[in-house]
Amino acid sequence: MAMGDKLQRFYRGMRTIRRFEEMAIELYKEGLIGGSYHSYIGQEAVAVGVCSALRNDDYITTTYRGRGQHLAKGADPYKLFAELLGRVDGYCKGKGGPMHITDVQTGILGANGIVGAGVPISVGAALSAQMSGIDRVSVAFFGDGAINQGAVSEALNLAAVWCLPVILVCENNLYSEMTPFHRSVKNKDLVERAAGFCMPGIIVDGNDVEAVFETTSAAVERARRGEGPTMIEAKTYRLQGHMFGDSEMYRSKEEVAAWRGKDPLDRLKRKLLEQGLATESLLAEWDRELTSKLEQAVASARLSPEPGPEAIYADVY
């Protein structure tokens, strides 16, 4: 694929995630989504950059902020919206909600509301691929808040000892909920932890989708060659609060404004325009197309029925 086509695809992917999240927030405001809603706005370049380096049969695990990765991995927006609304046409038949979405068909082994819990699952998937002799890699997305979880350290150790085909992607958005990461660790860079497990650790600008893609592609190729795991620290920033309704008293408006100036979508948009790979009218056309598609998905999801009381006994293991 030509680089121009790839950059256009990256932009469309990130724009889809941004519009999806904006629409989901509006649904949450209507009271149609239960629980808390944790927006992915601002981190789109990580999801698109990483998942663009994967095949459909590769595995991912995500956090409760995972709809961006799901869309980047090929999830159907209609099924995602239906799940958010608690409807039977959702990926988990309306019983997972925004924090527990799974779609094995596209390699999505689950979002998880437990901090760091997806990492050992992803490492387990990599182990199963290795033992079965199938050429698949597994990616674990986790936040900076998960770095001190014991299960994460155990999983990293096993990934290294068994030389597993897994990529560990730490999305460092600087805050573990409301706690600045530097208050909970002495490390300047969280990827320093990788050295303790004798695995490569790479820092990447998480707002540069090209850099994320190139870094992940190299890690994926290494994993497919049987050379083991890689840890990637993608330095990024969430432009919304930890969850909808967050007062954001723990960070300054100036800091947020400065990071808005590093918005990954605006960054790639400028590059597309400067290199003649898109025009303002073409970008507007793309936006109308994807907005129409997502609006149709929302409208259909609203019509999907809610699960009946008997559904509580289904799919229980």
Side-chain angles (χ1 to χ4, degrees), residues 34-163:
S36 298
Y37 195 80
H38 305 81
S39 171
Y40 195 66
I41 290 175
Q43 300 179 213
E44 297 90 347
V46 182
V48 171
V50 171
C51 291
S52 294
L54 303 177
R55 297 195 311 240
N56 186 65
D57 61 347
D58 289 328
Y59 305 116
I60 67 170
T61 59
T62 74
T63 71
Y64 43 77
R65 206 183 299 277
R67 281 88 43 193
Q69 291 96 335
H70 299 169
L71 288 165
K73 192 64 168 62
D76 183 343
Y78 165 60
K79 291 185 177 181
L80 283 178
F81 277 126
E83 189 59 43
L84 297 185
L85 297 178
R87 309 303 172 90
V88 296
D89 289 335
Y91 275 114
C92 299
K93 303 175 185 177
K95 296 186 286 184
M99 297 174 68
H100 303 96
I101 300 170
T102 302
D103 178 32
V104 177
Q105 297 302 313
T106 52
I108 300 168
L109 301 184
N112 207 306
I114 301 173
V115 175
V119 180
I121 294 172
S122 197
V123 169
L127 176 61
S128 73
Q130 183 189 74
M131 294 180 69
S132 301
I134 55 178
D135 180 29
R136 294 181 184 174
V137 302
S138 181
V139 173
F141 290 95
F142 59 101
D144 49 282
I147 200 71
N148 292 326
Q149 291 283 40
V152 172
S153 293
E154 292 175 25
L156 264 65
N157 185 60
L158 289 177
V161 169
W162 292 335
C163 201

Side-chain angles (χ1 to χ4, degrees), residues 66 70 88 91 131 190 204 210 244 270 275 292 306 316:
H70 299 169
V88 296
Y91 275 114
M131 294 180 69
L190 299 180
V204 66
E210 289 182 87
F244 182 79
R270 287 193 298 270
Q275 296 189 1
S292 176
E306 296 181 352
V316 179

Side-chain angles (χ1 to χ4, degrees), residues 4-316:
D5 293 337
K6 187 173 293 183
L7 293 180
Q8 290 178 350
R9 183 164 59 87
F10 288 165
Y11 181 81
R12 290 166 70 97
M14 290 196 294
R15 193 74 186 105
T16 297
I17 295 170
R18 178 69 59 91
R19 291 296 292 128
F20 182 97
E21 290 291 272
E22 289 170 346
M23 291 182 181
I25 289 172
E26 293 305 311
L27 292 171
Y28 189 84
K29 289 179 181 178
E30 289 184 48
L32 296 177
I33 299 177
S36 298
Y37 195 80
H38 305 81
S39 171
Y40 195 66
I41 290 175
Q43 300 179 213
E44 297 90 347
V46 182
V48 171
V50 171
C51 291
S52 294
L54 303 177
R55 297 195 311 240
N56 186 65
D57 61 347
D58 289 328
Y59 305 116
I60 67 170
T61 59
T62 74
T63 71
Y64 43 77
R65 206 183 299 277
R67 281 88 43 193
Q69 291 96 335
H70 299 169
L71 288 165
K73 192 64 168 62
D76 183 343
Y78 165 60
K79 291 185 177 181
L80 283 178
F81 277 126
E83 189 59 43
L84 297 185
L85 297 178
R87 309 303 172 90
V88 296
D89 289 335
Y91 275 114
C92 299
K93 303 175 185 177
K95 296 186 286 184
M99 297 174 68
H100 303 96
I101 300 170
T102 302
D103 178 32
V104 177
Q105 297 302 313
T106 52
I108 300 168
L109 301 184
N112 207 306
I114 301 173
V115 175
V119 180
I121 294 172
S122 197
V123 169
L127 176 61
S128 73
Q130 183 189 74
M131 294 180 69
S132 301
I134 55 178
D135 180 29
R136 294 181 184 174
V137 302
S138 181
V139 173
F141 290 95
F142 59 101
D144 49 282
I147 200 71
N148 292 326
Q149 291 283 40
V152 172
S153 293
E154 292 175 25
L156 264 65
N157 185 60
L158 289 177
V161 169
W162 292 335
C163 201
L164 298 179
V166 62
I167 293 92
L168 304 131
V169 179
C170 177
E171 296 189 73
N172 185 356
N173 62 22
L174 306 186
Y175 291 93
S176 172
E177 292 190 342
M178 292 80 178
T179 303
F181 87 92
H182 62 78
R183 291 187 180 177
S184 58
V185 297
K186 291 291 287 184
N187 305 85
K188 176 184 176 183
D189 301 307
L190 299 180
V191 77
E192 293 171 359
R193 298 289 180 92
F197 300 99
C198 295
M199 71 172 72
I202 304 169
I203 296 171
V204 66
D205 180 348
N207 284 16
D208 183 342
V209 65
E210 289 182 87
V212 175
F213 172 74
E214 291 168 2
T215 299
T216 306
S217 295
V220 168
E221 290 172 8
R222 181 175 180 275
R224 293 201 199 281
R225 291 194 302 265
E227 297 177 15
T230 301
M231 181 176 172
I232 298 171
E233 180 183 357
K235 293 183 180 291
T236 184
Y237 196 81
R238 52 174 166 79
L239 294 175
Q240 303 282 318
H242 171 64
M243 71 288 188
F244 182 79
D246 179 1
S247 65
E248 301 186 58
M249 297 296 290
Y250 50 89
R251 61 185 188 178
S252 69
K253 293 180 179 179
E254 291 76 15
E255 177 184 289
V256 177
W259 277 95
R260 286 193 183 281
K262 305 175 185 178
D263 187 312
L265 275 77
D266 292 342
R267 184 170 180 171
L268 184 54
K269 178 181 178 179
R270 287 193 298 270
K271 186 164 189 173
L272 289 171
L273 293 172
E274 290 169 359
Q275 296 189 1
L277 299 173
T279 61
E280 290 284 4
S281 60
L282 180 59
L283 294 175
E285 180 182 341
W286 288 348
D287 197 51
R288 285 192 297 269
E289 289 175 355
L290 70 88
T291 297
S292 176
K293 178 181 178 181
L294 293 176
E295 286 176 343
Q296 291 174 18
V298 170
S300 297
R302 287 175 180 269
L303 298 176
S304 178
E306 296 181 352
E310 70 282 356
I312 195 172
Y313 298 109
D315 307 309
V316 179

